[in-house]
């Protein structure tokens, strides 16, 4: 009995460490490759560079196009920051409508909301493209964040609604008796209280959007508008021999914002997921 | 603060298909401390919310100071409410909580702060003003909630079971403070609770509710001495009144005889309403029983089943001879009763209550 | 709670507008487009109605059939594998480890980064002829494999990328496992149940709602996979990784045949809907909800 008991933790740790290592290795390898000279990349499997250099980073940053990665980073943020802001605002407003008002057909509409989360987006792709073309929005960032201003990502609305519902309405009633109209209640009382959920929404949207590839791919045609995702793809499209150390260097940089945000705000990710799924 | 009356006329409230308030009318006089009391589900909280404006009646009117406020927004009725859960804004300090409503109304900072200070003085909570709710104990949070109501200088205070989340000792303490507050401010107060001790000690007027209807309205001691029906008789007073089933054997104005399983009981009151042969209930409060002296006219005999010695008083549960009935008897001090021993108790006939077959009290005794 | 209906509608209005403009209208429009011969470079009103010609062509289109085939393989291999692995790791992790947070992070991280271009790029390199994997294999004495050049192995690398991202499903399973009260396990222990039996008779049944949720989400996402195949293999070799989303993209933006692409997107939609519907209707039989609250 005792042997089995002390074996168990050992077994668990063994599996966890083994699998964990294999999982993380490609990333470690990528970071290492960013600092290796091109020749070394294909010769060693260790991820620590034998002759570290900033060559990959320097040349990769400048890229072989007329723009540096500074432009591409700027573009990425020019898309994501408005997107996150409008997502948060519209999701909170719509969630408030669902959670606290008895609107006719509310249950049906909420069901529709959930259905849109499950809807495969590829079926909407072509008409949306044509619609934005008619608007004259091609090669701008608008198609990438305007829809979010209309709470089109139902998952976020759902998350906030669940969180709102977990609070009894007493505070809001007290605020009403203090003379607040519904918007004041929302702003002064509800939002401060549901802040953790709001932050989770912002973080998730940040992470999802920064990885968006198909959107920019079909809407952006000028290289000067390319975000990082397209610029990276471009760097491996070159017909002559790919400078892998540059590519890896830029890949590392591309993942850096996500990594930083993730490590700083880990708690919100895990809580956010359980909010949306297990309790949903 | 002005003193306002509150009047409800023929108020009905239905939620979906379920009627919660079934048509009632009542008036609270200016400056009165009225308590709505009743078991869970009787509609007392709903009634309070109707007065507050958090719900609108399905039909009927609500008037405050003789102004029809049935469809007026809660913030414009001149009322303030203390919630059962306190409903304090967790991200604001106590002072900010209290000043919030005032600022929304456009009051200047100086005036708002002055009011907050005044309220804090009344409640002796100056040291709590800069704390956030999570740094306060239950009793302190409650005080903050009351403070938030006071700063509005309302015409009517509404309390929704404010003490039910506190432990027993704190509850007793806060009861005294609320009574003091009412004496000091003089404002009309409407208070909801399921605890009849709170009702008895705080109220000028008690409204007993059951199933969405009013059972009785009156001063606390009136409800105690002359309950209008079985429900009120059983609800007010602890331990609960004892009820025994019987039949009328003789009835007349001024005297009635009731036949109980163990013998007749003569009551020195009566009216022509009940007739011989009617099924009735008699009620005796536990505290009205005494150990029977040998010359007692009518004694109840039985065996002690359980003794609860409380020191200041002793509660004995007695199984009556010849019946399935149990009496609960409250004797003062450390009474000499032993479990299993036989016992004889008696009660003065004037202190016996009589209820007809519908549970309505018969000829309530003169005060 | 606030009773005022028009106010409520005002709050819902962004959603309602967005629903109509960005979801309902495109949804119907794409169906309509699938019945036309519209090409991207033409004016919109030059589209001609061609009935079910597009769908009929699909039946004879070998590329489409190939695409459909590899997509189905992709979905029905990766989803069960990913869920099983996620559940397994969650189970191993569900232990009073001090380092549980560390491991959870380590596994979750790939799923956050995995959908990105950066990772797909790295993946292509990791499986290149002289890439990391082959270097390891050669170091162990085995020969290198032409991962991206052979149809079977190319599909394997794409699948592996998806499996690598099991972390998000794992975190959800972990939350589900931790929500199971330990009393149940203790009662089982007193009853004498061993580890296997406890897992299959107690843990798994309670987890079925979470399994169901994860299953639906994973299936829908798997059908939409685009980044990996596009960046790593470009759909090749020999269209062995030419998943349907890729075909839709190429038909629309490379060959400009939007009518045809719309038809394909509707087939994909119907396929996803059928799978989801099947899962929903079968859920009655195998999903067990502990609290029967119909909210």
């Amino acid at each position: 009995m005792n042997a089995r008991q002390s074996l168990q933790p050992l077994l668990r740790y063994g599996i966890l460490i083994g699998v964990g290592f294999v999982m993380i290795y490609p990333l470690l390898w990528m970071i290492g490759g960013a600092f290796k000279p091109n020749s070394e990349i294909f010769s060693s499997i260790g991820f620590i560079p034998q002759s570290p250099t900033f060559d990959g980073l320097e040349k990769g940053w400048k890229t072989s196009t007329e723009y540096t990665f500074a432009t591409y980073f700027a573009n990425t943020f020019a898309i994501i920051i408005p997107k996150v802001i409008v997502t948060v605002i519209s999701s909170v407003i719509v969630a408030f409508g669902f959670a606290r008002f008895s609107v006719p057909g509310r249950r049906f509409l909420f069901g529709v909301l959930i259905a849109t989360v499950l809807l495969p987006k590829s079926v909407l792709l072509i008409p949306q493209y044509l619609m934005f073309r008619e608007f004259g929005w091609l090669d701008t960032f608008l198609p990438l964040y305007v829809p979010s201003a209309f709470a089109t990502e139902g998952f976020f609305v759902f998350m906030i609604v669940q969180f709102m519902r977990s609070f009894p309405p007493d505070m809001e009633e007290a605020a009403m008796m203090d003379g607040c109209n519904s918007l004041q209640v929302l702003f002064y009382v509800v939002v401060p209280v549901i802040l953790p959920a709001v932050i989770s929404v912002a973080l998730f949207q940040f992470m999802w959007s920064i990885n968006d590839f198909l959107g920019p791919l079909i809407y952006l045609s000028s290289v000067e508008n390319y975000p990082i995702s397209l610029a990276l793809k471009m760097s491996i499209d070159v017909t002559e021999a790919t400078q892998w150390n540059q590519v890896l260097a830029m890949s590392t940089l591309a993942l850096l914002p996500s990594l930083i945000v993730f490590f700083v705000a880990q708690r919100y990710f895990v809580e956010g997921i359980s909010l949306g799924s297990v309790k949903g | 603060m002005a003193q306002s009356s509150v009047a409800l006329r023929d108020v009905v409230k239905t939620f979906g298909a379920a009627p919660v308030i079934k048509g009632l009318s009542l008036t609270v006089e200016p400056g009165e401390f009225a308590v709505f009391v009743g078991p869970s589900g009787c509609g007392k909280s709903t009634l309070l919310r109707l007065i507050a404006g958090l719900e609108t009646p399905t039909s009927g009117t609500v008037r405050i100071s003789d102004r029809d406020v049935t469809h007026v927004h809660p913030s414009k009725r001149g009322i303030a409410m203390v919630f059962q859960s306190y409903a304090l804004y967790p991200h604001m300090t106590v002072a900010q909580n209290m000043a919030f409503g005032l600022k929304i109304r456009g009051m200047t900072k100086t005036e708002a702060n002055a009011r907050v200070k005044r309220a804090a003085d009344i409640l002796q909570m100056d040291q709590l003003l800069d704390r956030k709710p999570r740094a306060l104990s239950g009793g302190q949070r409650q005080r903050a909630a009351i403070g938030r109501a006071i700063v509005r200088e309302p015409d009517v205070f509404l309390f929704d079971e404010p003490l039910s989340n506190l432990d027993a000792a704190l509850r007793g303490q806060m009861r005294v403070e609320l009574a003091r507050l009412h004496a000091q401010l003089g404002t009309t107060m409407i208070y909801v609770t399921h605890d009849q001790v709170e009702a008895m000690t705080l109220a000028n007027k008690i409204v007993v509710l059951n199933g969405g209807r009013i059972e009785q309205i009156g001063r606390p001691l009136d409800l105690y001495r002359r309950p209008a029906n079985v429900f009120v008789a059983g609800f007010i007073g602890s331990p609960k009144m004892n009820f025994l089933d019987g039949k009328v054997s003789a009835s007349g104005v001024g005297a009635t005889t009731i036949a109980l399983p163990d013998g007749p009981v003569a009551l020195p009151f009566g009216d022509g309403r009940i007739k011989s042969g009617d099924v009735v209930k008699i009620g005796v409060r536990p505290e009205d029983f005494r150990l029977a002296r040998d010359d007692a006219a009518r004694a109840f005999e039985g065996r002690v089943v359980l003794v609860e010695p409380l020191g200041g008083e002793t509660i004995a549960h007695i199984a009556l001879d010849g019946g399935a009935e149990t009496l609960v008897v409250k004797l003062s001090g450390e009474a000499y009763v032993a479990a299993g021993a036989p016992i004889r108790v008696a009660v003065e006939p004037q202190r016996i209550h009589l209820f007809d077959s519908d549970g309505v009290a018969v000829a309530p005794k003169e005060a | 709670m606030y009773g005022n209906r028009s106010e409520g509608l005002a709050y819902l209005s962004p959603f309602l507008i967005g629903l109509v403009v960005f979801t309902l209208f495109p949804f119907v429009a794409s169906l309509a487009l699938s019945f036309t011969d519209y090409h991207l470079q033409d004016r919109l009103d030059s589209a001609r109605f061609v009935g079910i010609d597009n769908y009929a062509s699909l039946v004879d289109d070998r590329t489409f059939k190939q695409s459909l085939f590899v997509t189905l393989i992709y979905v029905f291999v990766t989803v069960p594998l990913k869920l099983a692995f996620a559940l397994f790791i969650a189970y191993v992790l569900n232990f009073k480890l001090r380092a549980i947070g560390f491991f959870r992070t380590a596994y979750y991280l790939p799923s956050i980064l995995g959908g990105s271009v950066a990772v797909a790029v790295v993946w292509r390199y990791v499986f290149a002829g002289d890439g990391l994997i082959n270097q390891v294999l050669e170091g162990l004495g085995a020969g290198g494999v032409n991962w991206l050049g052979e149809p079977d192995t190319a599909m394997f690398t794409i699948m592996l990328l998806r499996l690598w991202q099991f972390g998000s499903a794992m975190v959800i399973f972990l939350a589900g496992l931790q929500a199971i009260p330990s009393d149940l396990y203790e009662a089982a222990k007193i009853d004498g149940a061993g580890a296997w039996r406890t897992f299959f008779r107690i843990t798994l049944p309670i987890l079925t709602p979470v399994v169901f949720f994860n299953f639906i989400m994973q299936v829908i996402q798997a059908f939409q996979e685009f980044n990996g195949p596009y960046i790593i293999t470009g759909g090749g070799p020999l269209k062995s990784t030419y998943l349907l989303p890729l075909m839709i993209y190429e038909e629309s933006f490379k060959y400009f045949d939007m009518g045809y692409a719309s038809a394909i997107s509707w087939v994909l939609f119907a396929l996803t809907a059928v799978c989801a519907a099947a899962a929903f209707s079968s859920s009655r039989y195998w999903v067990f909800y502990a609290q029967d609250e119909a909210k």
Side-chain angles (χ1 to χ4, degrees), chain A residues 98-149:
Chain A
F98 272 118
R100 297 297 196 217
F101 290 82
S102 53
V103 178
R106 173 170 60 157
R107 268 201 214 155
F108 171 70
L109 284 175
F110 199 62
V112 171
L113 180 83
I114 299 188
T116 62
V117 176
L118 302 177
L119 186 68
K121 297 299 184 295
S122 56
V123 74
L124 306 176
L125 201 69
I126 297 171
Q128 280 180 349
Y129 178 81
L130 295 173
M131 186 170 69
F132 288 126
R133 190 177 71 169
E134 293 300 307
F135 289 168
W137 287 2
L138 291 189
D139 208 24
T140 70
F141 297 145
L142 292 169
L144 300 173
Y145 63 78
V146 169
S148 299

Side-chain angles (χ1 to χ4, degrees), chain A:
Chain A
M1 210 37 157
N2 261 335
R4 202 207 306 176
Q5 275 180 351
S6 57
L7 188 60
Q8 257 238 359
L10 217 62
L11 196 59
R12 286 185 192 249
Y13 271 109
I15 296 178
L16 291 175
I17 294 180
V19 171
F21 185 69
V22 170
M23 296 273 291
I24 294 291
Y25 201 73
L27 293 176
L28 290 176
W29 204 82
M30 170 189 75
I31 299 176
F35 294 100
K36 291 181 185 172
N38 213 9
S39 45
E40 202 188 308
I41 295 192
F42 293 100
S43 51
S44 67
I45 55 175
F47 64 87
I48 301 181
Q50 278 159 4
S51 24
T53 163
F54 282 110
D55 187 53
L57 281 167
E58 271 182 61
K59 298 235 180 70
W61 185 264
K62 294 214 198 79
T63 78
S64 47
T65 67
E66 52 197 287
Y67 307 101
T68 68
F69 254 82
T71 313
Y72 304 133
F73 263 94
N75 287 335
T76 299
F77 283 107
I79 299 173
I80 301 186
I81 296 190
K83 190 165 182 183
V84 169
I85 294 177
V86 298
T87 301
V88 164
I89 295 178
S90 64
S91 299
V92 167
I93 290 179
V94 172
F96 192 55
F98 272 118
R100 297 297 196 217
F101 290 82
S102 53
V103 178
R106 173 170 60 157
R107 268 201 214 155
F108 171 70
L109 284 175
F110 199 62
V112 171
L113 180 83
I114 299 188
T116 62
V117 176
L118 302 177
L119 186 68
K121 297 299 184 295
S122 56
V123 74
L124 306 176
L125 201 69
I126 297 171
Q128 280 180 349
Y129 178 81
L130 295 173
M131 186 170 69
F132 288 126
R133 190 177 71 169
E134 293 300 307
F135 289 168
W137 287 2
L138 291 189
D139 208 24
T140 70
F141 297 145
L142 292 169
L144 300 173
Y145 63 78
V146 169
S148 299
F150 293 89
T152 48
E153 278 111 340
F155 178 68
F156 297 132
V157 177
F158 179 73
M159 241 172 79
I160 298 185
V161 168
Q162 298 297 92
F163 202 68
M164 277 185 186
R165 284 195 181 145
S166 71
F167 288 101
D170 295 13
M171 267 183 286
E172 295 161 62
E173 287 178 350
M176 252 181 25
M177 299 192 67
D178 272 340
C180 293
N181 59 37
S182 60
L183 206 55
Q184 287 169 318
V185 175
L186 177 62
F187 183 69
Y188 288 115
V189 176
V190 176
V191 168
V193 168
I194 62 167
L195 211 51
V198 169
I199 296 180
S200 290
V201 165
L203 291 174
F204 270 105
Q205 181 66 304
F206 178 84
M207 295 302 227
W208 288 359
S209 315
I210 209 171
N211 290 337
D212 190 16
F213 177 65
L214 186 55
L217 184 65
I218 64 178
Y219 290 116
L220 301 174
S221 43
S222 323
V223 176
E224 65 181 329
N225 286 335
Y226 275 14
I228 304 174
S229 48
L230 292 187
L232 263 184
K233 169 69 167 69
M234 210 172 51
S235 66
I236 59 173
D237 274 347
V238 289
T239 42
E240 67 265 14
T242 318
Q243 297 287 10
W244 283 107
N245 66 335
Q246 293 176 21
V247 172
L248 289 181
M250 289 307 103
S251 299
T252 309
L253 278 188
L255 292 181
L256 210 53
S258 306
L259 283 170
I260 294 176
V261 167
F262 178 71
F263 280 108
V264 164
Q266 267 183 72
R267 179 163 65 101
Y268 291 103
F269 280 101
V270 180
E271 282 179 17
I273 292 193
S274 33
L275 214 67
S277 56
V278 174
K279 290 172 193 158

